[in-house]
């Protein structure tokens, strides 16, 4: 499966660890055409930590390690990226609640004015 996440802000863990809410952050699965925004009101859409790579969600719904060579997906009960109305998660075939990455790519979008 091809999964990913979008955060409009710079990942910054250099000043310690902290959670932030980004109203336009989301995670996605291109294989099954799912896009899941962070749940409204959840303060845990993104996590910034000096020893972590990009991390989405209070339950580390989408986590990349600092070496950018590993990580995982999780659909735990504390997930803040779920479609509550549909009762679906980003992954979840046959009761699956987690997955490990095979390959990771991180992109940065920038605009020069």
């Amino acid at each position: 499966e091809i999964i990913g996440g979008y955060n409009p802000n710079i990942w910054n863990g250099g000043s310690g660890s902290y959670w932030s809410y980004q109203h336009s952050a989301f995670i996605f699965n291109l294989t099954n055409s799912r896009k899941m925004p962070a749940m409204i009101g959840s303060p845990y859409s993104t996590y910034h930590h000096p020893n972590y790579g990009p991390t989405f969600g209070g339950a580390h719904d989408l986590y990349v390690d600092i070496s950018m060579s590993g990580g995982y997906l999780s659909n735990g009960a504390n997930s803040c990226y779920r479609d509550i109305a549909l009762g679906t998660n980003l992954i979840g075939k046959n009761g699956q609640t987690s997955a490990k990455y095979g390959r990771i790519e991180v992109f940065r979008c920038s605009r020069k004015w």
Side-chain angles (χ1 to χ4, degrees):
E1 292 190 46
I2 301 172
I3 56 94
Y6 170 76
N7 171 20
N9 293 336
I10 294 173
W11 289 100
N12 180 13
S15 58
S17 62
Y18 63 95
W19 294 98
S20 65
Y21 174 71
Q22 305 298 332
H23 72 279
S24 58
F26 60 88
I27 60 177
F28 58 87
N29 184 327
L30 294 178
T31 306
N32 61 21
S33 300
R34 289 185 182 165
K35 174 185 171 190
M36 300 206 173
M39 290 172 34
I40 294 172
S42 172
Y44 306 114
S45 57
T46 59
Y47 185 57
H48 306 263
H49 190 284
N51 297 322
Y52 287 29
T55 303
F56 292 80
H60 294 147
D61 305 300
L62 176 60
Y63 162 77
V64 178
D65 69 24
I66 191 66
S67 71
M68 303 301 242
S69 63
Y72 58 83
L73 286 164
S74 175
N75 285 326
N78 295 323
S79 172
C80 73
Y81 288 93
R82 306 174 57 127
D83 189 331
I84 299 299
L86 298 176
T88 59
N89 293 308
L90 189 69
I91 58 173
K93 295 178 181 175
N94 301 319
Q96 179 183 13
T97 59
S98 64
K100 291 185 179 180
Y101 298 136
R103 186 172 108 185
I104 296 172
E105 295 180 14
V106 177
F107 299 91
R108 176 178 172 211
C109 298
S110 63
R111 181 183 289 174
K112 293 186 179 186
W113 300 97

